[in-house]
Amino acid sequence: DATKKKMDAASQLINGLAGERDRWTQQSADFADQIARLAGDCAVACGFMSYTGPFNKTFRDLLIGNYFIADLNAKSIPVTKNLSVTAMLADEATTGQWNLQGLPTDDLSIQNGILTTSASRYPIMVDPQGQGLSWIKHKEAENGCKETSFVDKNFRGNLEECMSFGKPLLLANVEQELDPVLDPVLDKAFQRKGKGFIVALADKECDIEPDKFKLYITTRLGNPHFTPELSAKVTIIDFTVTMKGLEDQLLDRVVQNEKPELQTERTKLKTDVNEYKAKIMELQDDLLYRLANCDGSLLDDPEIIDVLNITKKTSAEVSEKLKNAGEAEGRIKVACEEYRPVAQRGSIVYFLIAEMSAVNPMYQTSLAQFVQVFNLSMTMAEKAAIPSKRISNVVDELTFRTFLYVCRGYMEIHKKIYTLLLALKLQLSSDVITMDHFGCLVKGGAALDINTVKKKPKEWVPDGVWLNIIQLSMSISLFKELPDIVARNESLWRQWYDQEAPEAVPVPDIDDRLDKMHKMLLVRSVRTDRTMISADEYIEEALEKKYTDTYPLNLEATHQDICELVDAPERVPIIFVLTPGSDPTELVMGLAKKKKKEVQAVSMGQGQEVVARRYIATSIVTGGWVLLQNTHLGLKYLVELEQQMVKLEEIEPDFRVWVTAEPHPGIPIGLLQMSIKITNEAPVGMRAGMKRSYAWITQDMLDTVPRVEWRTLLWVLCHLHSVVQERRKFGAIGWTVPYEFNQSDLNACSLFLQNHILDMDAKKAKDVTWSTVRYMISEIQYGGRITDDW
């Protein structure tokens, strides 16, 4: 009987291991090959972990491929060809779990996940979009992670608690310097005391569990300058979102909105696949462990045979499920790809908005806020039964809605820059133009030397213009013969060069060959001062005419848009970017009057923080409005305001905080990213000025005075206001002093006219008293600002 049992057990063991033989034989050969290359692979992995964290994807690939691996090959050290550090340092089950917790699926993000979780030094995540912060929150939520910051009053308490109990600590939104109290923690200067460990902080010793305690640090700064000492203590990791990574995330949102059943199936599939892979690894590890640790003969251990049978059966089932899941994923991916143009457009637009923060520090926009605009665009876009038409509608709505959203907070000069860059980037992505076109527009011939290029034909051609022409002929085939054409017909080209508006007249010799893009490049090369005027025609051709129109500020409509856009408008400050000639106080007060809200206003400065705190504290409870004026004079309080908006649990839904500030690099990035920015700058051009001045007039205002002269005089007053504002652009030619004529002048004059005509009506007077009107408006109101003698 014993022999028979052993024979049966042997048969079961042989049958059970038969399926594993091929896999183990192959793995054994792979392991032998891997061992031969292990030293080189480990060297690359060490280099990756130690040095590549601060760099973007392009430079990481350059370091690994062109430097690390090339150096190993030069030293004849075996290394895996096309080594993937992500596959080497993390398995699919782990990365799949990270993706479910909110880490993007692109290769850079997976590398960042490895660096964050596996590096021996604590990580500092350069995370302008907040994606790393969100991932860590989800990943460590089950471990009791605490979030804190240096401005948090309980920072020290949170630090000591997490160290003592071995919990993760998330230190969010640091600046370029860290509190010195963290130095012993970052140095891992832990000392054994009894059975545990302690660390000496600034003024006392604290318990710490080194194996369990984790410290994650994030910064919103896009390009922070950390000291060399700090950089040596931590692992700096660039978590800045990539264009491809953002495109995939936006695609998920589009599919969720347009085909929710597909997205649900896709998410379930990801979860199932991760579970299947984890199950296979668990079973294989369990089997190998039992085989390795079996005492005596394998035939005498019935548990091994049972585990082997279960492993074989489960492995077959899971393999079949994985195969089916792979087929389903391929089918879903094809269906989702149809909506990629929307995600691609969103990614291009967001990265352009992010780049605009280099133009002015006030132009910070968070990814979360952009996603809200993205979602609203899909909701508001016109429906269509045909998918291609619906996609086109969403793309157009997204582009224009985002244009209105960001330009509301941009200065006039920067709106044109944004629109031009938008047109260029969209045409670059669709291969209508190349980087050569973009380079000629941005740099011209600045890289050339006048002494090394073909000699200019006549002395009237400035050196800079000739270098631009040469660069244009070298970069773009259409202009290949341009230097010769100019030399042959220089008299006509000189006439064109001397034109007041060369962009509006035909170009000599080659006008019939030029589209709007190439004409703009030619104008930029020859008459740089007319480039932005010529750009209007290009923008109209590349986008639409509505992108070159002006849109006067309507604060009531803007306030309504904000309420529709954000989930909790009471937590979103509205920042007016102050410019010469703009004073938004009257606009805010007027809107508050319509909404029947009380506004508590305070002008910030020394000692005014106490007043601001009191106003905010009372209005949060009552639902009132607070106007904080000139906050660039009270920057410290803005950090406190940001924390209040984020951390306060209950805020009355009607509460609003309005902020006015001049552009200043010291305004907290977090406050700028969470807020809505508005500019009320004096418009450029008479047409825009008249639209802006007349947009302020309401029907009720027109109906206030019954006499016919009222409407005519009001129109003339708006025209006068637009003229005096427009004169400022001429500098000393217009006014010796750039006087700050603003909306308050228009308000005061219209109120005077209203009272004067009502008084005439009461006295039954036939004509307007012109001498009075001229004196009050020209001499007193507008003339009262003039200090020049003439």
Side-chain angles (χ1 to χ4, degrees), residues 4-22:
K4 188 173 184 304
K5 283 182 181 179
K6 283 194 175 184
M7 288 288 291
D8 292 339
S11 299
Q12 288 180 348
L13 198 61
I14 290 167
N15 292 332
L17 293 174
E20 301 294 326
R21 178 180 177 179
D22 294 338

Side-chain angles (χ1 to χ4, degrees), residues 273-296:
V273 166
N274 287 332
E275 287 177 358
Y276 295 156
K277 288 176 179 176
K279 186 71 175 173
I280 283 180
M281 287 185 66
E282 183 186 333
L283 290 169
Q284 290 173 354
D285 291 346
D286 186 38
L287 178 59
L288 288 171
Y289 176 79
R290 287 179 180 275
L291 288 172
N293 293 280
C294 177
D295 295 329

Side-chain angles (χ1 to χ4, degrees), residues 697-707 710-711 714 750-751 754-755 757-758 761:
I697 296 169
T698 62
Q699 189 60 43
D700 290 342
M701 191 173 171
L702 291 173
D703 296 338
T704 305
V705 182
R707 291 187 61 131
W710 167 238
R711 295 188 178 209
L714 204 53
S750 64
L751 187 61
Q754 181 180 322
N755 292 335
I757 296 176
L758 285 172
D761 200 43

Side-chain angles (χ1 to χ4, degrees), residues 408 551-561 594 695:
R408 186 167 55 206
Y551 299 90
L553 175 65
N554 182 334
L555 193 58
E556 187 173 5
T558 300
H559 182 260
Q560 186 60 39
D561 288 346
K594 282 184 183 179

Side-chain angles (χ1 to χ4, degrees), residues 240-501:
T240 307
V241 68
T242 61
M243 189 170 280
K244 183 69 173 68
L246 179 59
E247 191 177 309
D248 291 340
Q249 292 175 55
L250 294 178
L251 181 61
D252 287 347
R253 290 184 175 276
V254 178
V255 175
Q256 179 69 51
N257 187 76
E258 303 294 319
K259 299 275 186 181
E261 68 284 354
L262 268 184
Q263 188 62 18
T264 305
E265 188 180 351
R266 194 182 189 188
T267 306
K268 184 176 182 302
L269 207 59
K270 283 182 182 177
T271 309
D272 291 347
V273 166
N274 287 332
E275 287 177 358
Y276 295 156
K277 288 176 179 176
K279 186 71 175 173
I280 283 180
M281 287 185 66
E282 183 186 333
L283 290 169
Q284 290 173 354
D285 291 346
D286 186 38
L287 178 59
L288 288 171
Y289 176 79
R290 287 179 180 275
L291 288 172
N293 293 280
C294 177
D295 295 329
S297 172
L298 291 176
L299 301 177
D300 296 333
D301 190 347
E303 283 188 14
I304 285 186
I305 296 171
D306 293 339
V307 167
L308 188 60
N309 290 331
I310 293 169
T311 300
K312 188 175 181 181
K313 183 182 177 184
T314 310
S315 184
E317 291 174 359
V318 169
S319 298
E320 183 63 29
K321 286 178 180 178
L322 278 173
K323 183 183 174 184
N324 295 336
E327 292 172 358
E329 189 172 1
R331 177 176 51 79
I332 292 170
K333 192 173 181 180
V334 170
C336 292
E337 282 300 307
E338 186 179 14
Y339 294 94
R340 187 164 288 278
V342 179
Q344 191 176 35
R345 176 64 59 91
S347 184
I348 292 168
V349 170
Y350 172 73
F351 273 89
L352 173 56
I353 294 170
E355 288 167 5
M356 287 298 289
S357 62
V359 176
N360 189 308
M362 301 295 282
Y363 299 162
Q364 295 281 351
T365 303
S366 68
L367 179 58
Q369 213 170 75
F370 172 77
V371 167
Q372 289 173 329
V373 180
F374 186 83
N375 291 338
L376 185 63
S377 301
M378 289 191 289
T379 305
M380 302 302 291
E382 185 181 343
K383 305 292 181 188
I386 304 169
S388 58
K389 178 63 176 170
R390 167 66 179 164
I391 290 165
S392 175
N393 292 343
V394 174
V395 166
D396 291 344
E397 177 70 20
L398 168 66
T399 310
F400 188 61
R401 184 170 287 275
T402 314
F403 163 77
L404 292 178
Y405 171 77
V406 296
C407 285
R408 186 167 55 206
Y410 288 175
M411 296 180 194
E412 290 294 329
I413 190 172
H414 299 150
K415 290 177 185 177
K416 183 72 70 65
I417 292 173
Y418 171 82
T419 315
L420 177 58
L421 285 173
L422 177 64
L424 290 166
K425 283 182 178 287
L426 293 180
Q427 290 206 331
L428 275 170
S429 70
S430 56
D431 296 325
V432 175
I433 62 174
T434 65
M435 282 306 294
D436 288 333
H437 293 82
F438 190 80
C440 284
L441 181 67
V442 176
K443 295 184 294 184
L448 300 177
D449 183 358
I450 193 68
N451 298 315
T452 60
V453 299
K454 182 178 179 180
K455 189 178 178 183
K456 61 184 183 181
K458 295 285 182 181
E459 282 304 311
W460 66 265
V461 183
D463 289 352
V465 169
W466 186 246
L467 291 176
N468 291 341
I469 290 173
I470 296 294
Q471 184 64 57
L472 209 54
S473 67
M474 291 163 57
S475 302
I476 298 169
S477 57
L478 180 66
F479 294 114
K480 188 176 182 181
E481 298 176 359
L482 184 61
D484 296 330
I485 293 171
V486 173
R488 280 199 307 267
N489 207 354
E490 59 87 20
S491 59
L492 273 179
W493 279 89
R494 182 170 190 177
Q495 288 178 24
W496 185 75
Y497 174 79
D498 289 334
Q499 290 283 341
E500 185 179 340

Side-chain angles (χ1 to χ4, degrees), residues 434-666:
T434 65
M435 282 306 294
D436 288 333
H437 293 82
F438 190 80
C440 284
L441 181 67
V442 176
K443 295 184 294 184
L448 300 177
D449 183 358
I450 193 68
N451 298 315
T452 60
V453 299
K454 182 178 179 180
K455 189 178 178 183
K456 61 184 183 181
K458 295 285 182 181
E459 282 304 311
W460 66 265
V461 183
D463 289 352
V465 169
W466 186 246
L467 291 176
N468 291 341
I469 290 173
I470 296 294
Q471 184 64 57
L472 209 54
S473 67
M474 291 163 57
S475 302
I476 298 169
S477 57
L478 180 66
F479 294 114
K480 188 176 182 181
E481 298 176 359
L482 184 61
D484 296 330
I485 293 171
V486 173
R488 280 199 307 267
N489 207 354
E490 59 87 20
S491 59
L492 273 179
W493 279 89
R494 182 170 190 177
Q495 288 178 24
W496 185 75
Y497 174 79
D498 289 334
Q499 290 283 341
E500 185 179 340
E503 74 284 348
V505 296
V507 179
D509 302 317
I510 57 172
D511 191 70
D512 55 337
R513 287 185 265 165
L514 300 179
D515 59 13
K516 301 296 184 188
M517 175 69 201
H518 290 96
K519 186 165 186 179
M520 178 178 69
L521 289 179
L522 187 61
V523 171
R524 182 258 180 270
S525 299
V526 180
R527 282 286 300 274
T528 309
D529 59 308
R530 306 295 294 180
T531 305
M532 295 310 286
I533 298 167
S534 177
D536 278 340
E537 294 182 11
Y538 165 66
I539 292 166
E540 286 178 19
E541 182 183 72
L543 300 171
E544 289 179 61
K545 191 174 188 315
K546 62 185 179 182
Y547 288 89
T548 58
D549 283 345
T550 57
Y551 299 90
L553 175 65
N554 182 334
L555 193 58
E556 187 173 5
T558 300
H559 182 260
Q560 186 60 39
D561 288 346
I562 293 168
C563 294
E564 290 176 3
L565 176 67
V566 298
D567 298 329
E570 68 274 11
R571 294 182 181 272
V572 178
I574 301 163
I575 297 180
F576 282 94
V577 182
L578 295 177
T579 54
S582 69
D583 181 11
T585 306
E586 288 293 328
L587 293 173
V588 175
M589 294 298 184
L591 180 62
K593 193 174 179 182
K594 282 184 183 179
K595 301 284 184 183
K596 298 179 180 177
K597 290 289 176 187
E598 180 190 355
V599 179
Q600 293 181 303
V602 56
S603 184
M604 299 303 291
Q606 189 171 3
Q608 294 303 303
E609 293 88 349
V610 179
V611 181
R613 283 190 199 101
R614 187 170 70 248
Y615 285 173
I616 292 283
T618 55
S619 298
I620 280 171
V621 177
T622 61
W625 289 6
V626 178
L627 175 60
L628 305 176
Q629 297 170 305
N630 302 318
T631 52
H632 53 279
L633 304 176
L635 295 174
K636 285 186 179 178
Y637 179 69
L638 293 182
V639 178
E640 188 179 321
L641 178 65
E642 178 194 349
Q643 294 298 314
Q644 277 187 300
M645 293 296 101
V646 172
K647 293 192 173 180
L648 276 175
E649 292 183 4
E650 290 187 11
I651 300 180
E652 181 65 31
D654 290 337
F655 168 75
R656 298 289 183 275
V657 58
W658 305 80
V659 177
T660 71
E662 290 181 4
H664 194 289

